[in-house]
Amino acid sequence: MCHATRRCALTAKRTTKAKRNGSSQPWLHLNGVEIQEFGTVRQFPLGLSFNARMYSCQRLNQILADTQILYGLYKKHHWLMRGPTFYQLHLLLDKHAGEQLELVDLIAERVQTLGGVAIGDPRHVAEVTVIPRPPNGAEEVPSMLSRLIEAHETILIATHDAAARAAEMGDDGTNDLLVSSVIRTGELQTWFLIEHLVDTPLVEAPRE
């Protein structure tokens, strides 16, 4: 009998004994087996082909990984913001971070709905993302905003393509999520950031 089989048999024996004795002691330090590998999809009766669901899960997981990194960038820059625009940018970046966190959950749940496995472990995310890593320290405010804008553009380019291809494969649910939530949120947030990089006087207009 292999080690995994013995462990499963022992766990089942303990569970049966606990039920018989009426014990409410939780079983701790359990090491389960992986029941679905990352990159696979289960067969769900969704009216979508295996290939369509597999493709959507692959594209969604890439966007999910990059969105988690964008969320992290927003929180970092929210904390490290400084200068005369500190207050409004501190609040704005935190608001954007919250909206990105909502997208993370929506994208992950779509992957699960299609029968896939959503990427979640930060170490796995770091291996998959294409968003460049920022310096560990603080940057100047324009650099932090520019870094966020570039991350948004990377995600938007991938999302436009993924949405179009999902529609071609008949995956209307994924197309709707990417267009209605990811793209529209990303475009709006990018606009808010871009306008902070316009070089215009705060008080005085040029004199004639």
Side-chain angles (χ1 to χ4, degrees):
M1 182 182 295
C2 68
H3 179 69
T5 303
R6 286 199 302 272
R7 185 171 64 244
C8 290
L10 180 59
T11 300
K13 183 177 180 180
R14 288 175 175 173
T15 301
T16 302
K17 183 178 179 181
K19 289 180 179 179
R20 186 168 59 248
N21 295 337
S23 173
S24 63
Q25 171 61 38
W27 296 108
L28 307 176
H29 312 297
L30 299 177
N31 294 313
V33 296
E34 188 177 57
I35 60 175
Q36 184 182 358
E37 293 183 3
F38 181 79
T40 65
V41 293
R42 291 179 288 165
Q43 184 58 46
F44 280 4
L46 302 177
L48 289 171
S49 69
F50 172 85
N51 289 337
R53 292 184 298 111
M54 175 66 80
Y55 180 81
S56 290
C57 285
Q58 290 172 346
R59 297 301 300 270
L60 286 167
N61 265 323
Q62 181 64 60
I63 295 168
L64 176 57
D66 295 335
T67 301
Q68 290 182 68
I69 294 297
L70 177 58
Y71 164 74
L73 282 177
Y74 263 119
K75 291 302 291 187
K76 180 189 180 195
H77 295 160
H78 155 75
W79 296 321
L80 302 184
M81 192 52 58
R82 54 197 61 188
T85 57
F86 165 79
Y87 183 70
Q88 57 266 45
L89 283 175
H90 179 72
L91 296 181
L92 177 66
L93 299 192
D94 200 38
K95 176 178 180 292
H96 282 193
E99 292 167 352
Q100 287 298 318
L101 189 58
E102 290 180 8
L103 290 180
V104 166
D105 200 47
L106 288 174
I107 300 168
E109 289 183 349
R110 182 60 188 171
V111 173
Q112 296 301 132
T113 298
L114 293 173
V117 177
I119 187 169
D121 191 305
R123 293 160 294 189
H124 190 185
V125 168
E127 295 171 354
V128 171
T129 186
V130 296
I131 304 298
R133 179 174 177 170
N136 290 332
E139 298 178 274
E140 295 178 340
V141 173
S143 296
M144 288 191 281
L145 296 181
S146 181
R147 191 176 294 281
L148 289 168
I149 292 169
E150 291 169 2
H152 269 296
E153 185 178 27
T154 297
I155 293 172
L156 285 168
I157 290 172
T159 304
H160 278 291
D161 182 68
R165 293 177 181 271
E168 291 174 0
M169 300 184 77
D171 189 354
D172 298 321
T174 294
N175 171 271
D176 178 62
L177 168 66
L178 294 177
V179 173
S180 300
S181 298
V182 180
I183 291 177
R184 290 182 178 173
T185 299
E187 288 177 341
L188 187 64
Q189 290 186 349
T190 301
W191 171 45
F192 271 72
L193 296 175
I194 287 173
E195 296 297 355
H196 282 85
L197 294 177
V198 176
D199 185 15
T200 183
L202 293 176
V203 179
E204 293 185 0
R207 297 180 182 273
E208 296 184 357

